[in-house]
Amino acid sequence: MSGAEPAESRDEELRAAVLAAPGRLRALLPGLTDEAVRAPSALPGWSRGHLLSHIEGVAHALARQAERALRGETVDMYDGGRPARDAAIEAGARRGADALRRALADALDRADAAWRAPGPGDWARPVRYRDADLRAARAAWWREAEIHTADALLGPGPADWSREFCRHTLDFLAPRAPAGTRLTLAATDGGERVTHGTGRPLTVRGRLTDLTAWYAGRTPPTAPAADSGPLPPLGPWP
C-alpha cells in the first residue's frame, strides 16, 4: 500500500486551511474602532485602514480569479492595474470603522464562496494571476490572509501560523535567498530544514514561525540567528 497522499485528499486539506485562515481576521472585526483603523499597521507608511483595505481588495481580486476560471475565462487581478489598486487602498483607508468592517466582511464572504466552489478537477484551470493556475491563486490568498492578518497588529501574529503554512511559505519564498549563498533554514523546534540558493553555505536557525516571519520580511517575536555573522539581506519578494 502506497504511503503517498492522494492528490484529491491533499487538495481538500489545503482548501480547509485556506478557508480557515481569514477566520482570525473576521473574529476581530466586531471590535474594530475608528481609533484602531487610524493606528499604524506593521507595514511602513500604512495605517491599519490601508492594510485592511488592501486585504479587502485582494480578497475580491483573487476570488474573481476563481470565479472566472470556473467559467473558462481569465481576467486581470485588478481592473486598471496597480494604479487602480493603489488608489482603491488610499480611498478605502479613509473610511470609518463601521464602513470598513462591512466592506471587509463582504470581501471575506466572497472569498469564502469562491474557494469552496472548485471541484477536484478544477485546480489546474488557468488564471491570469502570474499566468498560473487556480491552485496558485488559492495559495496566494492563503498567504495574503495569514501574513496580512499578522500585519494588522490586532492580536494574531506569526506565532499563530501553522507549521503547514510555514513550510508552504518558506518554499514559495525560495527566490529570496541571497545571491551567492546556499542558505539553510533550520527549525530549532522541529525537524524542518530547507535549503535555498547556491554558493557559500550559511545556516540560519530559529523557531519555524520566526524563520518564516523573517524570510517574509516581517519582525518575528524572536529573531533567528545565523551560525556565523549577522543575518544576511534577503532578495525581493518573488
Side-chain angles (χ1 to χ4, degrees), residues 31-178:
L32 197 63
T33 65
D34 287 339
E35 182 180 9
V37 167
R38 304 292 169 240
S41 74
L43 297 185
W46 270 15
S47 70
R48 197 174 276 129
H50 286 90
L51 179 67
L52 296 176
S53 292
H54 171 58
I55 298 174
E56 174 196 351
V58 79
H60 282 302
L62 287 167
R64 80 171 187 165
Q65 295 292 299
E67 293 161 355
R68 294 295 186 89
L70 294 183
R71 288 152 51 180
E73 303 170 358
T74 60
V75 63
D76 289 341
M77 276 283 286
Y78 299 96
D79 290 330
R82 183 63 177 262
R85 164 202 178 267
D86 293 347
I89 291 171
E90 288 295 333
R94 293 194 288 269
R95 293 173 293 184
D98 286 344
L100 186 53
R101 185 188 304 115
R102 289 193 298 270
L104 187 50
D106 287 345
L108 295 178
D109 287 345
R110 182 180 180 185
D112 185 79
W115 297 112
R116 288 184 187 278
D122 291 321
W123 298 113
R125 287 177 179 265
V127 296
R128 191 73 57 81
Y129 166 78
R130 294 177 180 257
D131 291 324
D133 59 18
L134 198 53
R135 187 176 285 107
R138 177 185 61 182
W141 173 233
W142 194 17
R143 295 189 298 272
E144 294 282 340
E146 293 282 19
I147 294 173
H148 286 322
T149 293
D151 290 336
L153 301 179
L154 287 169
D160 299 298
W161 294 342
S162 69
R163 303 191 80 84
E164 180 180 38
F165 176 74
C166 290
R167 289 190 291 265
H168 160 75
T169 302
L170 290 177
D171 181 62
F172 172 75
L173 294 175
R176 298 203 76 188

Side-chain angles (χ1 to χ4, degrees), residues 176 183 185 204 209-218 220 224 231-232 234:
R176 298 203 76 188
L183 180 64
L185 304 172
V204 173
T209 51
D210 292 334
L211 288 170
T212 307
W214 170 69
Y215 216 45
R218 272 61 183 178
L231 290 171
L234 299 174

Side-chain angles (χ1 to χ4, degrees), residues 174-183 196-202 215 232-236:
R176 298 203 76 188
T181 301
R182 184 174 183 268
L183 180 64
H196 300 147
T198 59
R200 179 181 67 88
L202 176 65
Y215 216 45
L234 299 174

